[in-house]
Amino acid sequence: MVFDPQADHKRWLTLRLLLWLALGVTLAVAVFNDYRSDLRHWQRQTPKELQALEGAPSGVRELLPDGTHPERCVSCHLGVDAPIDGLPAPYQRHSWPLTHHTPKRIGCVVCHGGEGRALTTAAAHARAGTSARSARLVLPYLEASCAQCHLPGAVPQTEHLVRGAYLFLELGCGLCHSLATGGRGGWDDGPDLRTTRQASVEALTQSILDPTIDFPDSTMPSYRTTFADKPEALADLNTYVLSLALSGGAPRDQVAPRINPTLPCNTCHATTMAMGNFHHDCVYLRDRRNELRCSGCHADGAPQGRGLCPLLVAHASACLACHTPKGPR
Amino acid sequence: MWHALGKALASLPQNLVADLRPHTRPDDSASKRLRRSFLYHLFPLRVTERALAPTTTWALGIISLTLFLVLCGTGLVLALYYVPTPAEAYDSMLDIEHRVALGGLLRRLHRVAAHALVITAALHLLRVAMQAAYRHRELNWWLGLTLFAALLGLAFTGYLLPWDQTSYWAVRVVSTLLDHLPWLGQPLKLLLLGSDTLGDQALVRFYALHVALLPGGMLAVLALHLWRVRRDGGLSSSTPELVTQPAWPHLVDRVVGVMLATCLVLMVVSLTTALPLGPPADLLRPDNPEKAPWYFLGLQELVSYSATMGGVVVPVLVTLLLFALPLLDRDERDIGVWFGDTAEKRLFATLVLTSSLVVVLGSLVSTWPTLTQAQTNLSNTLKDLLNPASLCLVTTVIAGTLAGSRTCLPRSAMRVMLGVLGVSLLWFTLLGLWRGADWLLTWPWSGSSHGL
């Protein structure tokens, strides 16, 4: 083929023009994407009532709960602590008055999870495929957040959490998932559930119903039949397990007593009144104190013979839900 | 006197412009001035028609250059926002993604271009090696190898910077690969990390390497590399071609076209893929499995067979072979073409295909459970000798010897060896990609798993 300089140059000039045009289009798309970002979209649609109160929003709004890490949720959730009822999402008011939990002081992420720095709905709400630092929590799992500072049942609106804690005890989860090990688990014991990173409800559900899918060597039985027609119960249990993962090693209110791990529980508790004296209202035993007392089984008072009561042995791990060898969780 | 001063002042702008652009005439257009002052010196006046044909080089050098320039541009902007401390690195990445105007696009452009550059530069290297274009261009071949090493260093140091779980543990894996290097490994690791572990010292060092030392050095070597191309007389060839065309406009047309097309592909890929950050790095909980960046995954796979064979012997031999290529091959014939004749092409294809098949099947057999069981009983020395890494080495040498004895050409032997090594590396990288939890082989079709 003979090289035709003129035609060749002409062909390349046309191609170059087309390439420039296409590049221009991609740039325009990029700018347009930025223009119709979630932030701008929601700020443009701000209800008139809110605008009358605080003026038209523009740009990013930040909360600095700890002074250094900005949370930008209020850039779109503009009416969180505005005294206006009945606004649609995302402008609606917080479902209960934030008198103690003021956003300025504690922010949003500590309870609701998600990514506070993000400015797109998908990333901020930690949807799949985004860089989720912590999962976004919705009810009933949101109750797990309360357990970061409060004992289950110690504050209102934590019914799911309390029921989950009971389930944890009834099913004997703590027998294997002892909260004293702090490890990743082995042959006989499961991992300490406080160490589950990035625990999502889906992953937890799968681990409970089909433990061997994610962990082929797991010896944990499937709880599929247990929860077959009780999705609420599963949600309750998930809420409690999430609360374990959330609080991790963080301190709670200083309400749980310091216990000596080298001594068996009955050193203090098992006299005539097994587990009789509580320094606080233990959530596990609140309704069951009577059946757990020695007299529940031993009609004639204190048991005879040596060794720990089987009931106590079976439930010892439950104590470790709140108590660790190093004191309160 | 005042009159003279006024005159001088009046002509000052014109004189300044003239000083900036010597050898230009006032009626020159901008494009004419550009090509007079710069392009006429970067490119030769006339180029062969072979150089203009797309299949000669596949424009891999120009594509790589474009990607490098894009990386410099986007990197400059990213460096303004990035904070190289463990506490703030991840947060600053999120800020770039969400707070900076078009920051997400900028980050994706940088990331896509970086991955693409590793591929195109490797292909460029392979093209030059396969066409024996290193003949009479020894210096530029070595400069190119240096550039490739620097490029891998840049990609690797950049990999750590997001400080998310994937990047942290990937870099940690590669830094432990250094342990297998005798004598040099430990001091090198200390120099790179600044301490025993991958912590804040390492992040600052990686940042300095990534934004200053490596790109600076690379720019200098790159200038030399491009200058040597002109200096060496353009594309290498053993048969002088008389039919030439002016570089302006034909070569420049192609260069500009390829550059624009590269940018376009980059933009489209960056606009259509999400490439999210992973969760932030958790220094206490490693991912399972911990995987090196994909361009080091083949090496990690080799090291998993045997630290000595896969981590030291094979990489060192391959590096030596690459550097020694222009010294071993002194043949004056068939420079700058893919193959000498069809017979050599057929021999190359046969040998590379059969040897690659041997490596692939051998490494698959070695993952057979009974064999892995048997392997645990072997002594360490035997384990270092009997594994896919040494199988790959032996197969390469045999294939090379066969090719050499058949054709009596060292070049043919080395082409076959490079071909086998290339396919093997690709295969080991694939195997590395298919490794699941506990480094067990999980086929892509057997379903994915996601842990807590």
Side-chain angles (χ1 to χ4, degrees):
Chain A
M1 204 176 77
V2 184
F3 188 83
D4 181 354
Q6 303 252 301
D8 183 76
H9 184 46
K10 214 168 175 182
R11 208 165 40 230
W12 278 98
L13 277 186
T14 324
L15 186 66
R16 194 193 299 178
L17 185 72
L18 289 176
L19 283 170
W20 272 120
L21 282 176
L23 257 180
V25 170
T26 56
L27 204 66
V29 168
V31 174
F32 180 66
N33 279 348
D34 189 58
Y35 172 74
R36 47 145 224 207
S37 69
D38 292 344
L39 171 73
R40 285 172 219 267
H41 171 78
W42 292 120
Q43 291 202 340
R44 268 197 298 270
Q45 311 236 326
T46 313
K48 292 207 172 54
E49 304 94 301
L50 261 181
Q51 291 201 26
L53 201 71
E54 302 181 8
S58 76
V60 178
R61 295 186 170 194
E62 285 181 346
L63 296 172
L64 281 167
D66 62 352
T68 46
H69 295 96
E71 288 182 11
R72 299 171 180 143
C73 314
V74 287
S75 299
C76 298
H77 295 280
L78 291 154
V80 166
D81 53 356
I84 306 172
D85 287 314
L87 289 180
Y91 314 101
Q92 80 276 45
R93 208 176 165 180
H94 200 265
S95 59
W96 38 275
L98 297 169
T99 38
H100 294 296
H101 300 80
T102 46
K104 273 210 178 76
R105 191 169 64 85
I106 67 163
C108 315
V109 175
V110 66
C111 297
H112 293 274
E115 178 51 67
R117 282 188 183 246
L119 284 167
T120 59
T121 314
H125 293 186
R127 292 195 184 139
T130 58
S131 51
R133 199 182 320 218
S134 59
R136 175 174 168 253
L137 295 170
V138 290
L139 283 170
Y141 310 108
L142 186 53
E143 289 179 12
S145 293
C146 306
Q148 291 176 92
C149 299
H150 308 286
L151 278 168
V155 283
Q157 294 184 23
T158 51
E159 293 79 14
H160 294 91
L161 184 64
V162 172
R163 282 204 293 272
Y166 275 130
L167 273 171
F168 193 83
L169 174 73
E170 275 171 14
L171 297 171
C173 307
L175 289 176
C176 293
H177 292 281
S178 167
L179 299 172
T181 56
R184 298 185 63 177
W187 179 253
D188 283 332
D189 51 336
D192 183 338
L193 291 174
R194 291 168 304 168
T195 62
T196 51
R197 183 170 47 84
Q198 288 285 313
S200 68
V201 174
E202 294 75 28
L204 281 179
T205 304
Q206 184 175 302
S207 291
I208 293 169
L209 299 186
D210 300 297
T212 46
I213 287 187
D214 272 349
F215 309 101
D217 297 333
S218 172
T219 49
M220 176 172 158
S222 163
Y223 284 82
R224 195 168 271 289
T225 39
T226 316
F227 293 110
D229 47 356
K230 288 179 242 166
E232 333 63 58
L234 183 60
D236 293 344
L237 183 64
N238 272 336
T239 308
Y240 182 68
V241 176
L242 273 179
S243 84
L244 292 176
L246 270 184
S247 45
R252 288 167 181 244
D253 285 355
Q254 296 295 312
V255 286
R258 205 161 269 274
I259 56 166
N260 187 342
T262 57
L263 302 171
C265 306
N266 69 335
T267 312
C268 302
H269 298 294
T271 49
T272 48
M273 278 186 11
M275 305 206 150
N277 301 313
F278 300 105
H279 295 281
H280 63 96
D281 201 9
C282 172
V283 61
Y284 295 106
L285 307 176
R286 197 193 291 156
D287 300 337
R288 304 184 177 200
R289 265 188 210 170
N290 285 327
E291 45 180 289
L292 282 173
R293 279 171 200 195
C294 306
S295 53
C297 300
H298 306 277
D300 303 330
Q304 301 299 310
R306 298 180 62 77
L308 284 173
C309 160
L311 197 69
L312 273 184
V313 173
H315 290 158
S317 64
C319 307
L320 295 166
C322 291
H323 308 282
T324 69
K326 289 192 176 125
R329 278 179 40 216
Chain B
M1 185 210 159
W2 290 112
H3 180 66
L5 189 64
K7 226 171 151 183
L9 274 176
S11 58
L12 186 63
Q14 210 181 339
N15 285 343
L16 273 180
V17 171
D19 281 352
L20 283 174
R21 317 183 194 118
H23 318 300
T24 50
R25 287 181 284 278
D27 56 337
D28 275 355
S29 65
S31 67
K32 221 172 193 176
R33 281 199 300 271
L34 184 70
R35 73 190 199 231
R36 241 186 242 289
S37 58
F38 179 65
L39 291 179
Y40 273 178
H41 296 85
L42 184 65
F43 296 132
L45 276 177
R46 296 184 74 83
V47 289
T48 60
E49 283 187 10
R50 196 176 71 91
L52 294 178
T55 49
T56 313
T57 63
W58 291 109
L60 288 164
I62 293 294
I63 295 175
S64 306
L65 176 68
T66 315
L67 291 173
F68 181 72
L69 293 177
V70 168
L71 282 165
C72 287
T74 50
L76 262 178
V77 184
L78 290 175
L80 298 180
Y81 297 101
Y82 179 76
V83 187
T85 61
E88 288 182 66
Y90 188 79
D91 282 345
S92 66
M93 291 299 291
L94 283 173
D95 280 355
I96 288 170
E97 185 80 40
H98 294 291
R99 194 76 167 82
V100 178
L102 296 183
L105 176 70
L106 211 61
R107 198 193 121 241
R108 286 196 294 279
L109 274 175
H110 196 77
R111 193 164 154 182
V112 172
H115 288 306
L117 181 52
V118 175
I119 297 173
T120 58
L123 289 178
H124 180 53
L125 193 151
L126 206 63
R127 196 274 301 171
V128 172
M130 287 296 174
Q131 287 190 343
Y134 45 78
R135 284 293 287 129
H136 302 300
R137 280 153 179 72
E138 286 82 3
L139 178 62
N140 224 12
W141 169 252
W142 290 325
L143 286 177
L145 285 181
T146 317
L147 280 176
F148 191 67
L151 172 66
L152 284 182
L154 266 173
F156 175 60
T157 48
Y159 208 89
L160 178 71
L161 300 185
W163 206 253
D164 62 2
Q165 184 74 355
T166 337
S167 72
Y168 178 83
W169 288 101
V171 170
R172 185 127 156 189
V173 160
V174 180
S175 72
T176 51
L177 290 188
L178 275 179
D179 290 338
H180 304 304
L181 206 64
W183 308 304
L184 274 178
Q186 284 300 328
L188 209 64
K189 192 178 172 187
L190 194 64
L191 191 69
L192 193 64
L193 302 188
S195 72
D196 295 339
T197 53
L198 194 60
D200 41 3
Q201 275 293 320
L203 185 55
V204 175
R205 280 173 197 223
F206 272 55
Y207 183 66
L209 279 173
H210 189 77
V211 303
L213 285 172
L214 285 173
M218 207 162 152
L219 262 176
V221 182
L222 190 61
L224 216 56
H225 191 67
L226 292 175
W227 172 68
R228 282 308 304 191
V229 175
R230 166 88 210 261
R231 199 44 224 228
D232 292 333
L235 291 186
S236 60
S237 171
S238 47
T239 49
E241 284 155 274
L242 298 174
V243 193
T244 57
Q245 296 291 340
W248 182 282
H250 302 300
L251 183 60
V252 177
D253 275 346
R254 281 161 176 74
V255 169
V256 173
V258 167
M259 284 183 147
L260 286 175
T262 311
C263 291
L264 180 66
V265 172
L266 263 185
M267 276 297 272
V268 171
V269 173
S270 306
L271 279 173
T272 48
T273 49
L275 293 178
L277 285 169
D282 190 334
L283 275 52
L284 299 176
R285 297 193 194 107
D287 276 348
N288 187 7
E290 301 164 35
K291 281 189 184 178
W294 63 265
Y295 35 84
F296 288 136
L297 212 50
L299 185 64
Q300 192 188 357
E301 177 74 22
L302 286 177
V303 169
S304 77
Y305 301 133
S306 152
T308 325
M309 190 53 80
V312 182
V313 177
V314 174
V316 166
L317 284 182
V318 172
T319 316
L320 281 181
L321 175 69
L322 283 175
F323 268 93
L325 222 47
L327 301 179
L328 297 173
D329 175 17
R330 311 302 296 172
D331 199 350
E332 292 293 338
R333 288 166 294 167
D334 301 325
I335 297 172
V337 290
W338 287 102
F339 292 99
D341 49 26
T342 39
E344 199 203 339
K345 198 191 278 184
R346 208 167 293 146
L347 183 73
F348 175 84
T350 326
L351 280 175
V352 169
L353 275 180
T354 40
S355 322
S356 311
L357 211 63
V358 168
V359 173
V360 167
L361 290 178
S363 53
L364 278 182
V365 166
S366 80
T367 58
W368 212 263
T370 43
L371 220 79
T372 2
Q373 269 303 310
Q375 219 195 358
T376 49
N377 300 328
L378 292 177
S379 72
N380 276 335
T381 332
L382 268 178
K383 243 189 264 181
D384 279 338
L385 287 176
L386 294 177
N387 59 57
S390 34
L391 176 70
C392 164
L393 196 65
V394 170
T395 320
T396 309
V397 171
I398 291 178
T401 322
L402 274 177
S405 61
R406 237 344 149 68
T407 56
C408 297
L409 285 176
R411 177 180 302 160
S412 177
M414 280 180 290
R415 256 183 203 152
V416 169
M417 274 154 79
L418 282 179
V420 178
L421 285 173
V423 177
S424 304
L425 184 66
L426 209 63
W427 169 249
F428 287 128
T429 307
L430 272 181
L431 273 185
L433 284 175
W434 291 334
R435 293 285 176 182
D438 300 330
W439 207 246
L440 293 172
L441 206 56
T442 39
W443 302 111
W445 50 86
S446 63
S448 63
S449 67
H450 53 94
L452 279 178

